[in-house]
Amino acid sequence: MTTPALREQPFDPSAIRNQVACVLSDFLARKSAAADAQHLPADVVQALGDFLTAGGKRLRPILCVMGWHAAGGHGDTGPVVRVGAALEMFHAFCLIHDDVMDNSCTRRGAPTVHRALARAYTPGRSRAAADFVGTSAAILIGDLALAWSDELFHTAGLDPAQLSAVLPLLDAMRTEVMYGQYLDVTSSGQPTADLERALTILRYKTAKYTLERPLHIGAVLAGGNGELLDSLSDFALPVGDAFQLRDDLLGVYGDPRVTGKSRLDDLREGKQTVLIALAMRNATPARQHTMSTLIGNPALDEEGAERARQLVTATGAYNEVRRLIQTRRRQAERVLERLVLPPGVANALRELARAATQRRT
Amino acid sequence: MTTPALREQPFDPSAIRNQVACVLSDFLARKSAAADAQHLPADVVQALGDFLTAGGKRLRPILCVMGWHAAGGHGDTGPVVRVGAALEMFHAFCLIHDDVMDNSCTRRGAPTVHRALARAYTPGRSRAAADFVGTSAAILIGDLALAWSDELFHTAGLDPAQLSAVLPLLDAMRTEVMYGQYLDVTSSGQPTADLERALTILRYKTAKYTLERPLHIGAVLAGGNGELLDSLSDFALPVGDAFQLRDDLLGVYGDPRVTGKSRLDDLREGKQTVLIALAMRNATPARQHTMSTLIGNPALDEEGAERARQLVTATGAYNEVRRLIQTRRRQAERVLERLVLPPGVANALRELARAATQRRT
């Protein structure tokens, strides 16, 4: 379960980020050359490459490599990094489609893919027609990212034992996040007090997808057993919950200059978050009614949003979510205390639990 | 290259259709049970199952099994049928997203997935909000179909040699059809005389995706070599071209009661088809101008569509496309004459070339 090298040196997320960046840029360079050779449009790879290099924490590849070390993985990190890059490409797919479904204008401080493409295809078209082409093109670039994540995965050089261990986890991850998104988009619109549903969305859309499955996938690549996977879940799920709870706070209260995304979108869509469910649950009927007229109104302006924020805060929901985040962080830290892990990995996971609960972007 | 059993009995597409239907319904039944167990929404599997059982020619699975026989495949059809079912699930993904991107209302005589879901999620929502939820939900169900097609594929029981032969073809197929779609959606809007582009779209979106790659995939599962694959391409590409050229005619001149889909959509979108490119190329400047005001107008009514049809016919484009279809059929038939294939398969391919050029739906 431990490796001498890791005992001696700290786990280095930035090295993994660089390796993942290399895998992705090599992969896309080959796709670009193939498109050129077949006289296919260059803007597909361009748009996906721009999106992938515009930012992102590379959390899933880093967790995948952490899971691998946690299960005793050492030596050549090539295959596990390539699997991590496949997870990052899958995440690009998720975000590009998510932005279409949320009708978001900005991501990582830049125009979203569908907005950028709508602009690129504006000449000779009406605004509505250009928007439609932009959305369709972004759906297709997302689809390609999903297909290409699979290509990265099955060219990672895994042996048959690794493949048969990891494929069911990959299938589970993809299905879970899509169900989470489905619940999310079909629940949005009107704020409700349905805390149970908000927690299910959180669990599927984020905690399992962002934290638990990447750790699992990395762990089984190094032969991690069911007991280790369970312990990793005990850590990952509360941290993942905290990560998304923090994201929900940032989506309503965050500073767009820091987060790089709008703080009106979640309110306009009427996203079914734990924050909003708690606010609706705690509020008086009069305040519930006012929140219902503000939250889920696609034309909500900054003034209305400020009123909504003040109401949510006044119900105590803001502080309650902050407490939930802290509880989950402590819960995750207790798991780390009983887990036997290479010290570099234990420290990195502890740092992750801290960062997830204090993230500002 | 031949099998005694096939010499004696004709190739039976309806048996393959039944086997594929069984694989798909078993797979979805397990997905449905898993969703129930996790308290996840039942309408995801329901919508996908309804779509898959509402019709469809199962052309890709049938071609996949044909390719397998063509390369001498015989005995247990289990794995090749499961790969065929994966291709059908992939096709469901393509069509569901295609209908979103084309904003189509009907498919196979029933409401499209995004329209059906918009209706299901109407209560408590404005018309615009329900449409938006329907579209988002359909994008996600398409995404799941793509992920699940991959799951069907990698649980097909292929051996490592089959996997390493077939994966590059699967990757190529997915990339090609997505590029074809991308060219299609970004070229639509205004009719142009760009025949070259219309032919590229046809080739990538249909000929390679619908005919060539399914045959190739089946063939390599039975160890088919590069020479056989090239011959199958020589047959598949002209038939695929003819199939799409016929589809383009039906999209403009077809009877919606027979085709199950609108004959206004292609004109309203200003789809970049060979038919329209030829019409624009042949027309006088005055007629070009009139066609430009009609084709690509999202509000085109049946009267305007009838005028567009008459103009396209008057340019000779309708008859020219019919001639292109016949030329391609003869080209494909000549390939069959020189190919050594099990007679059942040769007959089935000849019948396919005939059906593709005379299809009414």
Side-chain angles (χ1 to χ4, degrees):
Chain A
M1 294 276 283
T2 61
T3 65
L6 275 163
R7 285 206 176 282
E8 284 148 33
Q9 65 186 47
F11 180 84
D12 181 8
S14 68
I16 301 168
R17 276 190 207 101
N18 289 339
Q19 290 162 0
V20 167
C22 286
V23 171
L24 291 174
S25 87
D26 284 358
F27 182 85
L28 288 178
R30 281 189 300 109
K31 291 295 179 197
S32 176
D36 272 3
Q38 294 170 89
H39 307 290
L40 291 169
D43 57 351
V44 172
V45 172
Q46 187 66 47
L48 187 54
D50 287 350
F51 182 83
L52 279 163
T53 51
K57 306 173 189 71
R58 309 289 186 241
L59 199 48
R60 292 157 197 83
I62 290 169
L63 282 159
C64 182
V65 179
M66 282 185 186
W68 183 72
H69 283 308
H74 59 275
D76 177 17
T77 55
V80 67
V81 164
R82 200 167 167 93
V83 169
L87 296 181
E88 194 63 22
M89 183 67 89
F90 181 84
H91 191 50
F93 142 75
C94 281
L95 295 180
I96 292 168
H97 279 196
D98 195 37
D99 286 338
V100 167
M101 294 184 281
D102 288 349
N103 205 11
S104 299
C105 293
T106 53
R107 155 89 62 189
R108 297 173 176 171
T112 49
V113 174
H114 66 105
R115 293 298 318 141
L117 289 165
R119 196 175 302 167
Y121 285 103
T122 293
R125 287 185 171 83
S126 69
R127 170 74 193 267
D131 283 351
F132 204 77
V133 171
T135 297
S136 297
I139 292 173
L140 283 164
I141 290 175
D143 292 341
L144 262 176
L146 174 48
W148 287 352
S149 85
D150 194 51
E151 190 170 332
L152 275 161
F153 174 80
H154 67 69
T155 54
L158 305 184
D159 64 39
Q162 287 174 313
L163 268 180
S164 66
V166 83
L167 279 170
L169 295 173
L170 191 73
D171 289 335
M173 182 195 80
R174 297 194 283 208
T175 298
E176 283 160 0
V177 69
M178 289 175 195
Y179 267 111
Q181 287 278 55
Y182 190 88
L183 270 174
D184 193 24
V185 301
T186 56
S187 303
S188 294
Q190 278 294 305
T192 78
D194 190 343
L195 186 61
E196 207 55 48
R197 175 170 278 231
L199 286 166
T200 304
I201 294 172
L202 186 81
R203 187 49 65 97
Y204 279 92
K205 221 187 111 165
T206 309
K208 293 174 86 59
Y209 167 58
T210 306
L211 277 288
E212 185 193 40
R213 294 307 187 183
L215 279 170
H216 281 183
I217 286 169
V220 301
L221 290 178
N225 62 18
E227 195 188 340
L228 174 66
L229 263 52
D230 288 345
S231 297
L232 291 173
S233 296
D234 291 343
F235 167 81
L237 295 177
V239 175
D241 285 356
F243 182 86
Q244 183 60 45
L245 289 168
R246 184 82 197 139
D247 193 58
D248 292 345
L249 291 183
L250 292 173
V252 174
Y253 296 93
D255 179 348
R257 289 165 304 181
V258 180
T259 62
K261 58 188 172 188
S262 161
R263 62 178 193 167
L264 290 175
D265 288 352
D266 283 9
L267 290 170
R268 284 179 175 164
E269 282 164 44
K271 260 206 184 309
Q272 182 89 350
T273 63
V274 170
L275 175 72
I276 300 302
L278 286 171
M280 290 297 283
R281 187 173 272 213
N282 296 348
T284 59
R287 278 181 166 169
Q288 278 182 356
H289 175 77
T290 312
M291 285 196 283
S292 296
T293 62
L294 297 167
I295 300 169
N297 171 7
L300 188 76
D301 59 12
E302 180 51 49
E303 196 186 334
E306 190 49 38
R307 282 189 61 209
R309 271 177 219 120
Q310 285 169 0
L311 280 167
V312 171
T313 310
T315 64
Y318 177 82
N319 282 328
E320 210 168 332
V321 169
R322 285 174 62 100
R323 279 195 298 276
L324 290 176
I325 292 171
Q326 290 312 320
T327 308
R328 278 160 174 71
R329 176 178 169 183
R330 281 194 298 275
Q331 195 180 338
E333 283 171 344
R334 278 198 300 276
V335 175
L336 286 186
E337 282 159 20
R338 67 173 167 77
L339 261 178
V340 181
L341 293 172
V345 175
N347 288 337
L349 289 176
R350 196 168 295 111
E351 168 55 21
L352 181 79
R354 189 203 60 73
T357 57
Q358 294 174 5
R359 59 189 285 226
R360 294 164 57 81
T361 63
Chain B
M1 291 279 282
T2 61
T3 66
L6 274 165
R7 287 206 174 280
E8 283 147 34
Q9 65 187 44
F11 181 84
D12 181 8
S14 68
I16 301 167
R17 277 192 204 99
N18 289 339
Q19 289 162 0
V20 167
C22 285
V23 171
L24 291 173
S25 88
D26 283 359
F27 182 85
L28 287 179
R30 282 188 300 106
K31 290 296 178 196
S32 176
D36 272 4
Q38 293 170 90
H39 308 290
L40 291 170
D43 56 352
V44 172
V45 173
Q46 186 68 48
L48 187 53
D50 288 350
F51 182 82
L52 280 162
T53 51
K57 306 174 189 70
R58 308 291 185 240
L59 198 49
R60 291 156 198 82
I62 291 169
L63 283 160
C64 182
V65 178
M66 280 185 189
W68 184 71
H69 283 307
H74 58 276
D76 179 16
T77 55
V80 67
V81 163
R82 202 168 165 93
V83 169
L87 296 181
E88 194 63 23
M89 184 68 90
F90 181 84
H91 191 51
F93 143 75
C94 281
L95 295 180
I96 293 168
H97 279 195
D98 194 37
D99 286 338
V100 167
M101 293 184 281
D102 288 349
N103 205 10
S104 301
C105 293
T106 53
R107 157 87 64 187
R108 297 172 178 171
T112 49
V113 173
H114 65 105
R115 292 299 318 142
L117 289 165
R119 198 176 299 167
Y121 285 102
T122 293
R125 286 185 171 84
S126 69
R127 169 74 192 267
D131 282 351
F132 203 76
V133 171
T135 296
S136 297
I139 293 173
L140 284 164
I141 290 176
D143 292 343
L144 262 175
L146 175 49
W148 287 352
S149 84
D150 194 50
E151 189 171 334
L152 274 161
F153 174 79
H154 67 68
T155 55
L158 305 184
D159 63 38
Q162 286 175 315
L163 269 180
S164 67
V166 83
L167 279 169
L169 295 173
L170 191 73
D171 289 337
M173 181 195 81
R174 297 194 283 208
T175 298
E176 285 160 359
V177 69
M178 289 173 194
Y179 267 110
Q181 288 277 56
Y182 190 89
L183 270 175
D184 192 25
V185 302
T186 56
S187 304
S188 294
Q190 278 293 307
T192 79
D194 190 343
L195 185 62
E196 209 52 49
R197 176 170 278 230
L199 286 167
T200 305
I201 294 172
L202 185 84
R203 188 47 66 96
Y204 279 91
K205 221 187 112 165
T206 308
K208 292 175 86 62
Y209 167 57
T210 305
L211 277 288
E212 184 195 40
R213 294 307 187 184
L215 279 169
H216 282 182
I217 287 169
V220 300
L221 290 177
N225 61 19
E227 195 188 340
L228 174 65
L229 264 50
D230 287 346
S231 297
L232 291 173
S233 296
D234 291 342
F235 166 80
L237 296 177
V239 175
D241 284 355
F243 183 85
Q244 183 60 45
L245 289 169
R246 183 82 196 138
D247 194 57
D248 292 345
L249 291 183
L250 292 172
V252 173
Y253 295 94
D255 179 348
R257 290 166 304 182
V258 179
T259 63
K261 58 187 171 189
S262 161
R263 60 177 194 167
L264 290 175
D265 286 353
D266 282 8
L267 290 170
R268 284 179 175 162
E269 281 164 46
K271 259 204 185 311
Q272 181 89 349
T273 63
V274 171
L275 175 71
I276 301 301
L278 286 172
M280 291 296 282
R281 187 172 274 216
N282 297 347
T284 59
R287 277 182 167 166
Q288 280 182 356
H289 176 77
T290 312
M291 285 196 282
S292 295
T293 62
L294 297 167
I295 300 169
N297 170 10
L300 188 75
D301 59 13
E302 179 51 51
E303 196 186 332
E306 190 49 38
R307 279 189 63 209
R309 271 177 220 120
Q310 285 167 1
L311 280 168
V312 171
T313 309
T315 63
Y318 177 82
N319 282 328
E320 210 169 333
V321 170
R322 286 174 63 101
R323 278 194 299 277
L324 290 176
I325 293 171
Q326 289 313 318
T327 309
R328 278 159 174 70
R329 176 176 170 185
R330 280 193 299 275
Q331 195 180 339
E333 282 171 344
R334 277 196 301 275
V335 175
L336 286 186
E337 281 159 23
R338 67 172 168 78
L339 261 179
V340 182
L341 293 172
V345 174
N347 289 337
L349 290 176
R350 196 166 294 112
E351 168 56 22
L352 181 79
R354 189 201 59 73
T357 56
Q358 294 175 5
R359 57 188 289 222
R360 294 166 57 81
T361 63

